[in-house]
Amino acid sequence: MIIESTISLLLLLIQVPATALLLSRLLKGPRRYPPLQPQQPTPDMLGRVSVIVPTLNEALRISPLLKGLSRQSYEVREVIVVDSRSQDGTPDLVQAAQQQDPRFRVITDDPLPSGWVGRPWALHNGFLFSSERSEWFLGMDADIQPNSGLVASLVKTAQTEGYDLVSLSPQFILKYPGECWLQPSLLMTLLYRFDPPGIYTEEAERVMANGQCFLCRRSVLASINGYMSAKSSFCDDVTLARNIAAAGFKVGFLDGAKLLKVRMYEGAMETWKEWGRSLDLKDASNRAQIWGDLWLLSAVQGLPLIILLAYLPMSSSPYLPISLVLGLNIFLLFIRFALLLVIAPSYDRKNAKGGWLFWLSPLADPLAVLRIFLSAFHTPREWRGRKY
């Protein structure tokens, strides 16, 4: 048992500090800003917001977004869809929406310049074409399904809390068994690495953001030359938010599960390939941050299940280090299952096949952490059909 005790001591050295760091973040949860609720605009908000939507072959997903944006009130001045030469009729759907709501218009961005990723390039073009009379720039993805009162709630919250930039975490729509099992584990890697949504983070390098619903003061975006500072980033939302926070502006990341839903990817394979591609956030982080996050995720999310399976045959061992490792990892697995109750409102599983697999998603944690490792050491060469 000498070898087992030595290994146990090494595991304790790795896991105990990581557990303390995790608890320091999770214990902030009760102080977080409550989930945003739909609100009605006030007259002073008239025409304050320009909405920008980047698209590339989104015909199968964009209709709920167009309908949801048409239900937003007079706070929305314009909705600019920046299309990157879709071949599936996406611009036709926007033009049809324009017949019912003149606030919609579609533009085609210029050919992608060298050094740019498609999404920040489209958003940058949308910013340049948006009205200077708008106070707020709101970037939204084509797969978002917004509720009425979303934009008014965002603007009111930003004004009340003094945010220059605020983005929202959505409610994710699940449909198939594989994604019900895998996707919550991938999302949990973010919850472990960062403060919960609704906790204000002063350290720019630890700021979190979600470009699916991303509200920023137009003057702030103009002061940093639009999306230029995030032009080559595959996680442009986090990169831009951290650059804005580093410039001295107030950035918030809040719970928007009651304001918007999103259906991101179809099935486990697409979830693994696409959702995990930018979760490492390496384009927004330095090397030390990346390695620190990988250590944390390995210690408190990836290893506990594996360690428990390996240590259960030694559960009767009299050696203290072995008992401590076993107890620590039981504790970590208990935390992980308890967090399912916390994130459950972030998922719409009403029409999901195998929705019960959500409650077994901790069993996918080793795979989720492996996905972060693979992404952290691989530069994407393709995104949304574009090669880089």
Side-chain angles (χ1 to χ4, degrees):
M1 285 287 181
I2 300 299
I3 294 177
E4 289 83 353
S5 295
T6 302
I7 293 174
S8 298
L9 287 172
L10 289 174
L11 287 173
L12 289 170
L13 287 174
I14 293 170
Q15 288 189 290
V16 169
T19 302
L21 180 57
L22 173 65
L23 290 176
S24 72
R25 290 172 178 164
L26 296 181
L27 289 174
K28 297 177 182 179
R31 297 186 285 108
R32 71 191 190 115
Y33 195 88
L36 270 62
Q37 303 285 341
Q39 297 191 50
Q40 294 300 313
T42 52
D44 63 297
M45 295 170 60
L46 177 65
R48 290 286 190 89
V49 183
S50 290
V51 180
I52 311 299
V53 182
T55 60
L56 176 58
N57 296 325
E58 302 286 0
L60 296 178
R61 304 196 294 177
I62 198 173
S63 292
L65 172 70
L66 299 177
K67 292 177 182 177
L69 288 177
S70 69
R71 291 195 295 264
Q72 306 304 310
S73 191
Y74 53 76
E75 71 277 12
V76 174
R77 176 187 297 275
E78 59 189 352
V79 179
I80 303 174
V81 176
V82 184
D83 189 70
S84 300
R85 294 171 175 78
S86 294
Q87 302 299 311
D88 65 347
T90 298
D92 297 333
L93 294 175
V94 181
Q95 290 165 358
Q98 187 178 20
Q99 300 302 313
Q100 305 297 322
D101 189 335
R103 293 178 297 178
F104 286 92
R105 62 187 170 119
V106 60
I107 65 173
T108 301
D109 56 8
D110 294 330
L112 189 66
S114 176
W116 281 84
V117 172
R119 187 176 184 279
W121 173 243
L123 288 165
H124 185 72
N125 275 270
F127 166 69
L128 295 178
F129 277 92
S130 63
S131 173
E132 295 183 1
R133 292 176 294 174
S134 293
E135 181 182 352
W136 297 94
F137 170 100
L138 175 56
M140 299 193 74
D141 280 359
D143 50 11
I144 287 293
Q145 301 179 16
N147 295 335
S148 298
L150 162 66
V151 179
S153 179
L154 258 178
V155 173
K156 283 187 176 182
T157 302
Q159 292 174 334
T160 301
E161 299 300 315
Y163 287 119
D164 299 294
L165 186 161
V166 61
S167 61
L168 300 181
S169 62
Q171 185 180 60
F172 298 95
I173 301 171
L174 299 179
K175 288 188 177 180
Y176 303 115
E179 65 194 71
C180 290
W181 182 65
L182 178 60
Q183 217 246 39
S185 290
L186 291 167
L187 178 69
M188 191 61 65
T189 65
L190 294 174
L191 186 59
Y192 274 28
R193 283 179 283 169
F194 301 99
D195 289 337
I199 294 294
Y200 174 60
T201 303
E202 293 186 352
E203 300 173 83
E205 65 274 11
R206 303 308 302 176
V207 160
M208 202 34 214
N210 178 23
Q212 294 171 323
C213 185
F214 189 93
L215 182 78
C216 185
R217 292 187 188 275
R218 197 180 193 284
S219 59
V220 170
L221 204 51
S223 72
I224 63 167
N225 200 11
Y227 275 74
M228 282 291 294
S229 65
K231 66 180 184 179
S232 60
S233 176
F234 284 91
C235 56
D236 56 273
D237 45 5
V238 179
T239 300
L240 190 66
R242 291 180 178 179
N243 290 338
I244 288 174
F249 299 103
K250 187 175 181 180
V251 175
F253 179 54
L254 305 178
D255 185 344
K258 297 182 179 181
L259 294 178
L260 68 161
K261 296 182 180 183
V262 61
R263 174 70 183 149
M264 291 180 64
Y265 304 119
E266 299 293 327
M269 290 303 297
E270 191 173 349
T271 299
W272 169 271
K273 178 183 177 182
E274 303 291 351
W275 214 69
R277 188 188 301 268
S278 58
L279 272 180
D280 58 274
L281 304 180
K282 61 178 175 291
D283 291 346
S285 309
N286 59 44
R287 185 59 59 177
Q289 287 177 268
I290 295 171
W291 279 107
D293 286 344
L294 292 176
W295 156 70
L296 178 72
L297 290 178
S298 299
V300 299
Q301 187 179 0
L303 288 176
L305 181 62
I306 297 172
I307 291 173
L308 283 179
L309 293 175
Y311 270 67
L312 282 178
M314 297 183 284
S315 58
S316 60
S317 170
Y319 289 89
L320 182 60
I322 293 176
S323 299
L324 289 175
V325 168
L326 192 59
L328 176 62
N329 285 278
I330 290 174
F331 175 64
L332 286 170
L333 203 59
F334 171 79
I335 290 176
R336 177 63 179 85
F337 274 97
L339 285 173
L340 286 174
L341 297 173
V342 177
I343 69 170
S346 296
Y347 286 95
D348 180 350
R349 295 172 282 116
K350 293 191 298 290
N351 299 314
K353 298 177 181 178
W356 58 271
L357 287 167
F358 168 85
W359 301 105
L360 296 182
S361 61
L363 303 183
D365 281 0
L367 278 177
V369 175
L370 173 63
R371 185 64 184 92
I372 303 301
F373 267 87
L374 294 175
S375 182
F377 298 105
H378 174 72
T379 300
R381 298 299 181 191
E382 184 176 347
W383 184 260
R384 294 289 189 185
R386 278 178 161 159
K387 297 186 182 298
Y388 297 94

